Amino acid sequence: MASEREKSPRRGMCAAIVSMEGLAVALAAPVMISIGGVSAGLALPLGLGFFVACILVAGMLRRPWAYWVGWALQVVAIAMGFLIPIMFLVGAIFAVLWGMADILGRKIESERAAAFEAFDRIAAEESAEESAWESAEESAGEEAEPR
């Protein structure tokens, strides 16, 4: 299990967004067929392929390049608006959510890194102080004993 320091809020938020986006686009495939007049041969592979791509990207977000693939998926989702116009809106909403998760996740990670660094510094200082006190007590105890 990952320690608290290894957990990435950016990865968690982005994975949630891209997973929900994949589901939304997959569920848009029947809408493309029935309302948009898109052929089933195009809508189903596009919707299901996008869903699979989103799930794969959500799982690969441990790698920095996967975030760029996520941005590419946002462009594809918006471009689906050329098949059915509502996808312009849906794609834009998910692009904004993805962007906010990415930006806020980076900010949270940098603040957490600074907080953990400060914690480590304080812990090291306290440990050094404690060692100094123990050394002083030991040397004071040795001086008090008769020889």
Side-chain angles (χ1 to χ4, degrees), residues 8-118:
S8 170
R10 177 183 177 211
R11 185 173 65 223
M13 290 187 295
C14 287
I17 298 297
V18 78
S19 298
M20 290 294 106
E21 180 178 16
L23 183 60
V25 172
L27 292 174
V31 175
M32 286 187 229
I33 295 168
S34 62
I35 296 175
V38 178
S39 71
L42 175 63
L44 290 176
L46 187 61
L48 296 177
F50 190 84
F51 175 73
V52 170
C54 286
I55 298 302
L56 289 174
V57 167
M60 291 188 290
L61 287 175
R62 292 175 192 230
R63 296 167 181 87
W65 55 264
Y67 290 94
W68 290 106
V69 176
W71 280 109
L73 287 175
Q74 304 314 308
V75 172
V76 171
I78 293 170
M80 283 186 194
F82 291 110
L83 295 175
I84 184 163
I86 191 68
M87 285 306 296
F88 283 125
L89 177 64
V90 172
I93 289 170
F94 277 106
V96 168
L97 290 172
W98 172 265
M100 293 305 294
D102 191 19
I103 292 167
L104 291 175
R106 286 176 194 243
K107 182 178 179 184
I108 292 168
E109 285 179 354
S110 67
E111 290 175 359
R112 281 176 46 139
F116 280 127
E117 183 180 320

Side-chain angles (χ1 to χ4, degrees), residues 130-142:
E130 192 174 293
S131 296
W133 276 102
E134 288 174 359
S135 296
E137 287 176 354
E138 287 176 9
S139 62
E142 290 174 2

